[in-house]
Amino acid sequence: MQTIVINVNNDVLADKVRWLLEHFQNEGLEIVSKEDAYDLKLLRATRNEESVLFDEYLKHENLYP
């Protein structure tokens, strides 16, 4: 997979670029915001960590602010 970053300073142009790119989604193009890409990298880094059951997480959710 190749990653392409496009920086656009104009909101109108950004909407046009997004509109154009959305036409390629049926061909396998994935559009991800910079923020989402960062979150995905963090999630990928935890892939090999031990999982915690959601019920167990909820028992301890108030321990850490």
Side-chain angles (χ1 to χ4, degrees), residues 6-20:
I6 300 173
N7 295 312
V8 183
N9 292 329
N10 179 311
D11 289 341
V12 174
L13 180 58
D15 289 339
K16 290 178 182 180
V17 170
R18 194 175 302 111
W19 175 86
L20 177 68

Side-chain angles (χ1 to χ4, degrees), residues 35-57:
E35 294 79 12
D36 289 345
Y38 179 73
D39 291 344
L40 290 172
K41 285 181 184 179
L42 292 176
L43 285 172
R44 188 178 309 133
T46 65
R47 188 170 278 172
N48 294 326
E49 293 182 6
E50 183 180 335
S51 5
V52 177
L53 294 174
F54 189 67
D55 291 338
E56 198 63 30
Y57 167 79

